[in-house]
Amino acid sequence: MTATAFDFYLPSELNASHPPERRGIRRDHVRMMVLDKKTGSVSHDHFFRLADYLKPGDLVVMNNSRTVPAILKAGLFRNTKCIQQEVEIRLARRRNDETWDALIVTEEARLGDILQFSSDLSAVVIDMKEGSPLKTILFSKKGTDLFNSIYAIGEPVRYEYIHNKWGLDYYQTVFASHPGSVEMPSAGRAFSWELLFNLQKKGIELDFIQLHTGLSYLLDDDLETSPADNYEEYHLSEKTIEKIRKTKESGGRVIAVGTTVVRALESAGITGALNGVTNLYINRNFKLKMADGIITGFHEPKASHLDMLTAFVPQNLLWNAYEGAIDQRYLWHEFGDMNLIL
């Protein structure tokens, strides 16, 4: 399965390289483009006025997965001999309490090699899947002890348009609580506690799920995996499903905050499983059952996330809106502006 190649020219100055707080505005004061999914009409506002576009009885579902500092450095050892120092390891997906899939940025790594991260943390390469750039590593610690070590030595994943080493706190939503994402579920970043309070005050329901994000970029186009190979771990509660049912029965709308929430909700809608892993790929042919609207950022050219948005809004209307967003100088990526599609 391949993603739709919606390509467009994105001027480099529209890449948000600084968090809003470092640009002199609050996180909830970023701009917001509101797109009507039926007519394609667009209006322009700021995110802190989100409540003006929602109704009492609507349900906003957010992803409270916490970002892990997924870039680690290690010495590579084979038969007690150091083969290479300062090898970069990018954690990609947690398999269980002590095992992760990871991108090891060297061609030297072999089955059985040891990665020495610190004096008290190491891992062994236990699986190398043919045709995949990812390898499976077994850490010497597990559970909370492992997360504590990763948080102590790791750095957040950052891409080429980010020129500063922003601290991990800049890569968290205010409500992040369950560690596991290797990239920030960025659609929730613009929320502040004040905005959440204002939504509740208007009678808008809030709820949280988890989908732990995997790596979206593997350093080299030759290493790209198919969307069908992109498995991510998700967790929903019975309470969430019940809230969605009641919202729809009463005529309210379910608004997913980010593509991660859409993927988790629709996966549960298809399988009935509230916990598990999903490789669900959503495009214009997918009939959404759970989400009625989405709050998301602006996605880069050719991004698979754009395919998901065409499940909400016809492709031509989305493309027109994106052209308008470029004309209006909206900012892209995790520190950028927001797009509400209703």
Side-chain angles (χ1 to χ4, degrees), residues 189-246:
R189 193 191 187 282
F191 282 89
S192 63
W193 290 117
E194 181 180 353
L195 175 54
L196 293 171
F197 175 73
N198 286 338
L199 292 173
Q200 285 184 308
K201 195 166 61 173
K202 186 175 176 179
I204 297 160
E205 290 281 327
L206 308 177
D207 204 11
F208 298 91
I209 59 99
Q210 294 97 47
L211 182 137
H212 299 310
T213 66
L215 280 180
S216 61
Y217 180 63
L218 300 177
L219 297 175
D220 187 331
D221 288 343
D222 293 336
L223 298 178
E224 289 297 328
T225 57
S226 162
D229 294 329
N230 183 24
Y231 286 87
E232 293 175 315
E233 178 184 357
Y234 73 94
H235 303 276
L236 278 68
S237 69
E238 291 280 2
K239 184 189 70 172
T240 299
I241 298 299
E242 183 62 14
K243 278 190 174 183
I244 290 173
R245 185 186 65 77
K246 287 184 176 179

Side-chain angles (χ1 to χ4, degrees), residues 139-172:
F139 281 99
S140 58
K141 296 182 179 181
K142 61 183 178 180
T144 303
D145 287 343
L146 175 57
F147 272 124
N148 286 341
S149 291
I150 291 173
Y151 276 102
I153 64 176
E155 295 183 3
V157 172
R158 61 178 67 86
Y159 292 116
E160 68 280 358
Y161 50 85
I162 303 291
H163 308 300
N164 301 71
K165 288 190 174 184
W166 306 117
L168 184 64
D169 285 348
Y170 287 111
Y171 292 85
Q172 305 290 5

Side-chain angles (χ1 to χ4, degrees), residues 29-169:
H29 277 52
V30 295
R31 298 172 69 200
M32 176 172 66
M33 182 176 81
V34 184
L35 171 59
D36 186 309
K37 64 184 184 182
K38 293 181 179 175
T39 67
S41 66
V42 167
S43 59
H44 306 285
D45 209 324
H46 288 84
F47 193 66
F48 70 91
R49 295 197 182 97
L50 174 64
D52 293 347
Y53 297 88
L54 304 182
K55 301 179 296 187
D58 284 345
L59 171 65
V60 175
V61 184
M62 292 160 278
N63 182 2
N64 63 8
S65 175
R66 191 169 183 80
T67 311
V68 172
I71 296 183
L72 311 174
K73 295 289 180 61
L76 179 65
F77 287 78
R78 185 174 303 151
N79 299 325
T80 71
K81 181 182 178 182
C82 184
I83 302 297
Q84 194 172 336
Q85 296 180 340
E86 291 286 300
V87 175
E88 181 174 310
I89 291 91
R90 295 189 170 211
L91 300 178
R93 181 167 77 89
R94 190 179 76 103
R95 285 187 167 271
N96 58 43
D97 271 358
E98 54 193 337
T99 307
W100 282 73
D101 288 339
L103 180 68
I104 302 176
V105 190
T106 176
E107 295 181 355
E108 298 295 326
R110 302 285 184 271
L111 202 63
D113 284 353
I114 301 294
L115 298 165
Q116 192 70 47
F117 297 95
S118 66
S119 59
D120 66 346
L121 182 67
S122 63
V124 58
V125 180
I126 61 170
D127 193 21
M128 300 173 65
K129 183 182 175 185
E130 187 174 353
S132 171
L134 302 180
K135 298 174 175 60
T136 304
I137 61 176
L138 175 65
F139 281 99
S140 58
K141 296 182 179 181
K142 61 183 178 180
T144 303
D145 287 343
L146 175 57
F147 272 124
N148 286 341
S149 291
I150 291 173
Y151 276 102
I153 64 176
E155 295 183 3
V157 172
R158 61 178 67 86
Y159 292 116
E160 68 280 358
Y161 50 85
I162 303 291
H163 308 300
N164 301 71
K165 288 190 174 184
W166 306 117
L168 184 64
D169 285 348

